[in-house]
């Protein structure tokens, strides 16, 4: 083939290809120009169909375009309704295909709706919404509660089974979200409201607590996990002012707040406690809140006025110490008693005379406790000895400290208080400067009536007394035969044996004697005779422990002292008889202290060796 013909054919092929390029460009341009119009027309036609699917004032069908695809969304009331809508959409001229995302309205059990706060990007709704409420209507209510113009992504689906007043509960929860950091979530499950997240600041935290204390009518609170805000200047302080205390600063939780309040109330012994605490995070993870609060309470117990402060990671104490020995005790606590993660701060304490000077005696069924201050060891020994002589059942616990400034006549006043308290089942005697306050419960109305007049005779001159003693409510009265059976039951298993040569009651005595005393309250005509035993013939008590004797000093110019005559020994029979009567007297005193009236118990005949006995008296 000639070369000229080949060249001509190549030129014709190249010209044809060159013509296709502008044609393709023209086609693409037309398509790009026409696509939005086609998409808009398709959507408009679809929305025309959606406008006919009204339910509660709003169409349930929603239309969106994805290129030339038409996407149908929403919840159809039933299967037939969904099929009809899809058939009408399929008949439209223009959509490449119909993508169905239409669900059916079903009953949700449980009915749950959730709103997640995303901060700047708004709120995401999930779960179920009431079919009775239109989507747009609910969105308007939710955004109105949060703030107008809040972006909203609504992925909730219509369902049946919503609780009454759903809108009120949903808007209540939505209104709380702006007070929380992004990521917070509000959930409504049937009639239970839940909320979780971190408060944005202290004011928001307090506002949330106040709002959540008043949920909408018909709804209750479920899981509420609101974290307090985090702060950098974390501090906690307890200030003591006389008989009261004030708490300021921060606590990491409500449990820590209650612990701090309980500690302060214990310190003030019922005095006023002002709560100015706020919830906040910021306490180092190495510090246990309960250990910190307990440590601060120990230091606060050593001051009568002043402040204990945790700030900058350290605990400091300043003010007036309760007594001189409290200062080294506070220093020792700072050195050796600090909890983990807490540094030692300063100890700035001064010892001042106590004002007021206070001692208390508290009697419970478990123990008699003495607390407060006493002037010296001699007074302490005297007070404790007097109490142990008057109280048989419960132990005497000494929690007193020593301090100057005691009022004149304190020891005698304490003797009188011990005498009054020993006649009560439970009670407390508080001596403050030169006044006595006695409160409690007596076993008998007569004793309660006599108490106000009796207290003035037991106090030293210059002292005043105030008494508030009530009588314990009487139990149902028992008949004679029941009372006799009760005595038999109380003494049937009793083995009341004294140690050789001793008149002291042991714990084995108490159950039976207490049962007799309780029985006497319901058996006013009961009379018993108590017999004390003698020791076995020839029995000897163990020798007392003796201190080493110091060698006698020889004094010049003195003749050797003559040996003093030994006292005449009593016959064994007389000595044993006296011991038996003393033991009977110890048993009678215990029964009287436990609540028996004087006419209900008397001494019976002495017994030989063996246990003590209680018998019905004629």
């Amino acid at each position: 083939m000639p070369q000229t013909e080949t060249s001509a054919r190549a030129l014709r092929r190249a010209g044809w290809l060159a013509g296709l390029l502008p044609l393709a460009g023209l086609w693409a341009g037309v398509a790009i120009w026409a696509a939005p119009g086609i998409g808009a027309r398709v959507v408009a036609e679809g929305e025309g169909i959606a406008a006919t699917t009204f339910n509660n004032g709003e169409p349930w069908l929603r239309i969106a375009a994805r290129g030339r695809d038409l996407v149908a969304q929403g919840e159809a009331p039933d299967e037939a309704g969904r099929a009809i809508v899809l058939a009408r959409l399929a008949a439209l001229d223009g959509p490449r295909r119909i993508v169905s995302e239409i669900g059916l309205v079903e009953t949700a059990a449980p009915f749950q709706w959730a709103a997640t706060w995303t901060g700047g990007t708004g709120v995401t709704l999930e779960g179920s919404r009431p079919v009775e409420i239109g989507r747009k209507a609910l969105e308007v209510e939710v955004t109105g509660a949060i703030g107008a113009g809040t972006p909203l992504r609504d992925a909730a689906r219509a369902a049946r089974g919503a609780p009454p007043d759903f809108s009120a509960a949903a808007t209540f929860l939505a209104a709380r979200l702006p007070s929380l950091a992004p990521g917070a979530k509000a959930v409504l499950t049937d009639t239970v409201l839940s909320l979780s997240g971190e408060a944005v600041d202290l004011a928001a935290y307090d506002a949330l607590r106040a709002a959540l204390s008043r949920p909408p009518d018909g709804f209750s609170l479920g899981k509420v996990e609101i974290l307090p805000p985090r702060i950098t200047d974390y501090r906690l302080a307890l200030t003591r002012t006389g008989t009261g205390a004030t708490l300021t600063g921060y606590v990491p939780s409500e449990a820590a707040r209650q612990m701090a309040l309980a500690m302060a109330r214990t310190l003030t012994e019922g005095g006023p406690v002002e709560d100015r605490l706020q919830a906040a995070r910021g306490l180092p993870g190495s510090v246990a809140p309960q250990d910190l609060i307990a440590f601060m309470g120990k230091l606060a117990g050593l001051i009568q006025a002043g402040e204990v402060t945790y700030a900058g990671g350290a605990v400091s104490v300043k003010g007036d110490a309760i007594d001189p020995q409290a200062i080294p005790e506070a220093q020792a606590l700072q050195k050796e008693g600090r909890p983990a993660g807490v540094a030692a701060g300063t100890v700035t304490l001064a010892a001042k005379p106590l004002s007021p000077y206070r001692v208390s005696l508290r009697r419970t069924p478990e123990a008699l406790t003495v607390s407060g201050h006493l002037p010296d060891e001699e007074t302490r020994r005297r007070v404790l000895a007097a109490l142990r002589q008057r109280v048989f059942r419960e132990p005497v616990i000494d929690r007193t400290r020593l301090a100057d400034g005691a009022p004149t006549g304190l020891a005698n006043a304490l003797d009188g208080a011990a005498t009054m308290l020993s006649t009560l089942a439970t009670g407390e005697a508080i001596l403050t400067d030169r006044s006595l306050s006695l409160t409690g419960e007596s076993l008998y109305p007569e004793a309660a009536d006599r108490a106000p007049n009796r207290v003035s005779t037991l106090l030293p001159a210059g002292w005043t007394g105030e008494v508030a003693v009530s009588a314990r409510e009487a139990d149902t009265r028992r008949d004679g035969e029941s009372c006799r059976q009760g005595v038999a039951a109380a003494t049937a298993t009793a083995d009341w044996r004294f140690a050789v040569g001793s008149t002291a009651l042991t714990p084995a005595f108490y159950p039976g004697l207490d049962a007799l005393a309780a029985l006497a309250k319901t058996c006013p005509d009961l009379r018993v005779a108590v017999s004390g035993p003698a020791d076995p013939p020839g029995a000897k008590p163990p020798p007392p422990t003796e201190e080493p004797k110091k060698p006698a000093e020889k004094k010049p110019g003195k003749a050797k002292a003559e040996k003093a005559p030994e006292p005449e020994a009593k016959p064994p029979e007389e000595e044993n008889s006296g011991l038996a009567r003393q033991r009977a007297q110890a048993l009678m005193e215990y029964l009287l202290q436990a609540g028996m009236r004087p006419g209900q118990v008397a001494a019976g005949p002495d017994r030989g060796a063996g246990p003590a006995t209680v018998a019905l008296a004629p």
Side-chain angles (χ1 to χ4, degrees):
M1 180 180 294
Q3 184 176 1
T4 55
E5 184 178 349
T6 302
S7 300
R9 289 181 180 177
L11 287 173
R12 285 196 297 273
R13 188 180 297 112
W16 180 77
L17 290 174
L20 284 179
L21 291 175
L23 181 62
L26 179 63
W27 178 85
V30 170
I32 294 172
W33 174 80
I38 296 172
R41 177 177 60 80
V42 170
V43 170
E45 291 176 351
E47 288 179 345
I49 296 174
T52 65
T53 62
F54 267 76
N55 181 28
N56 297 307
E58 292 183 15
W60 61 260
L61 179 63
R62 302 188 304 280
I63 297 297
R66 294 177 188 166
R68 292 193 62 185
D69 293 340
L70 197 62
V71 181
Q73 300 172 321
E75 291 78 43
D78 50 43
E79 187 63 50
R82 177 167 62 180
I84 292 172
V85 164
L86 290 176
R88 293 179 63 189
L89 292 174
L92 293 177
D93 182 21
R96 182 177 59 184
R97 60 175 180 162
I98 305 298
V99 179
S100 175
E101 295 181 359
I102 300 176
L104 295 176
V105 175
E106 298 176 348
T107 299
F111 195 96
Q112 188 172 83
W113 175 86
T116 301
W117 177 240
T118 56
T121 57
V123 177
T124 298
L125 304 182
E126 301 171 292
S128 302
R129 64 172 177 81
V131 67
E132 300 85 3
I133 304 175
R135 179 182 298 271
K136 293 295 183 184
L138 183 58
E139 290 176 356
V140 168
E141 292 183 357
V142 170
T143 54
I146 298 174
T150 301
L152 195 68
R153 178 181 176 274
D154 191 355
R157 301 175 68 86
R160 300 183 183 90
D165 296 327
F166 172 91
S167 293
T171 54
F172 173 84
L173 287 174
R176 311 281 80 82
L177 293 176
S179 297
L180 298 168
K185 190 169 186 177
V187 180
L188 187 157
T189 305
D190 292 334
T191 60
V192 178
L193 311 181
S194 300
L195 191 64
S196 61
E198 177 185 348
V200 294
D201 53 38
L202 293 172
Y205 183 82
D206 291 338
L208 282 167
R209 288 182 59 200
L212 291 173
S213 66
R214 301 183 299 274
D217 291 341
F219 293 85
S220 62
L221 291 180
K223 189 175 183 180
V224 176
E225 295 180 333
I226 306 299
L227 295 176
R230 185 178 296 277
I231 60 171
T232 55
D233 182 23
Y234 194 95
R235 54 187 292 114
L236 175 63
L238 185 149
T239 304
R240 296 196 67 175
T241 54
T243 59
T246 301
L247 288 164
T248 55
Y250 308 110
V251 285
S253 64
E254 185 60 27
R257 178 197 298 269
Q258 295 304 321
M259 183 179 179
L261 288 173
M263 177 266 290
R265 294 187 184 110
T266 300
L267 286 172
T268 61
E269 296 183 345
V273 175
E274 186 175 357
D275 178 13
R276 297 182 185 173
L277 295 171
Q278 293 180 288
R281 291 179 296 157
L283 184 68
S286 60
V287 180
Q290 63 273 19
D291 293 343
L292 172 63
I293 292 170
F295 177 66
M296 293 179 66
K298 291 178 181 178
L299 287 173
L302 298 175
I303 60 175
Q304 51 180 314
E307 186 176 62
V308 180
T309 306
Y310 172 79
V315 172
S316 299
V317 57
K318 64 180 181 180
D320 299 332
I322 57 173
D323 49 46
Q325 64 261 37
I327 298 176
E329 288 178 10
Q331 293 169 339
L333 273 175
Q334 283 281 48
K335 184 178 180 180
E336 301 174 356
R338 299 191 320 276
V342 176
T346 58
V347 176
T348 311
L349 296 177
K352 293 185 177 181
L354 285 180
S355 180
Y357 201 97
R358 191 169 180 273
V359 194
S360 71
L361 314 175
R362 183 191 297 269
R363 186 178 192 182
T364 66
E366 292 76 29
L368 194 155
T369 304
V370 190
S371 58
H373 284 85
L374 295 172
D376 48 52
E377 284 290 351
E378 177 58 34
T379 304
R380 176 183 280 166
R381 284 193 294 268
R382 174 179 170 180
V383 170
L384 296 178
L387 289 171
R388 292 186 177 112
Q389 289 174 359
R390 293 175 172 86
V391 177
F392 296 100
R393 289 170 293 174
E394 56 267 37
V396 176
I397 299 175
D398 176 25
R399 293 180 179 167
T400 58
R401 300 170 63 90
L402 301 182
D404 295 333
T408 303
L410 175 64
N412 291 333
L414 283 167
D415 283 343
T419 300
M420 294 290 294
L421 199 62
S422 66
T423 64
L424 303 181
T426 59
E428 184 175 29
I430 300 176
L431 295 88
T432 307
D433 291 335
R434 292 190 180 185
S435 66
L436 166 66
S437 173
L438 179 69
T439 59
E441 184 181 61
S442 173
L443 293 171
Y444 299 104
E446 297 82 2
D449 294 339
R450 290 195 302 267
N453 296 328
R454 189 183 181 198
V455 70
S456 59
T457 65
L458 297 174
L459 291 177
W463 281 71
T464 60
E466 183 178 345
V467 176
V469 175
S470 60
R472 181 174 290 181
E473 185 177 347
D475 296 325
T476 305
R477 182 166 178 165
R478 300 170 65 166
D479 58 50
E481 179 58 28
S482 175
C483 292
R484 287 188 289 274
Q485 292 176 0
V487 172
T491 59
T493 59
D495 188 9
W496 296 329
R497 297 179 185 271
F498 288 87
V500 174
S502 173
T503 60
L505 305 183
T506 66
F509 284 79
Y510 301 148
L513 295 176
D514 288 342
L516 283 173
L519 184 68
K521 292 191 297 180
T522 58
C523 299
D525 298 329
L526 180 67
R527 304 288 186 272
V528 297
V530 180
S531 296
D535 281 341
K540 293 182 179 181
T545 304
E546 295 184 359
E547 295 182 0
K549 295 183 178 180
K550 296 181 180 179
E553 296 181 0
K554 294 183 179 180
K555 297 182 179 180
K558 295 287 184 179
K560 185 177 181 180
E562 296 183 2
K563 186 176 181 181
E566 295 182 359
E568 184 178 352
K570 295 182 180 180
E573 295 80 7
E574 182 180 343
E575 186 175 351
N576 251 338
S577 177
L579 183 61
R581 284 192 292 272
Q582 291 175 21
R583 288 169 171 172
Q585 186 64 34
L587 291 167
M588 291 170 58
E589 288 181 1
Y590 183 94
L591 289 171
L592 291 171
Q593 294 288 353
M596 292 188 77
R597 296 193 301 276
Q600 290 183 300
V601 59
D606 297 341
R607 287 179 49 82
T613 61
V614 174
L616 287 170

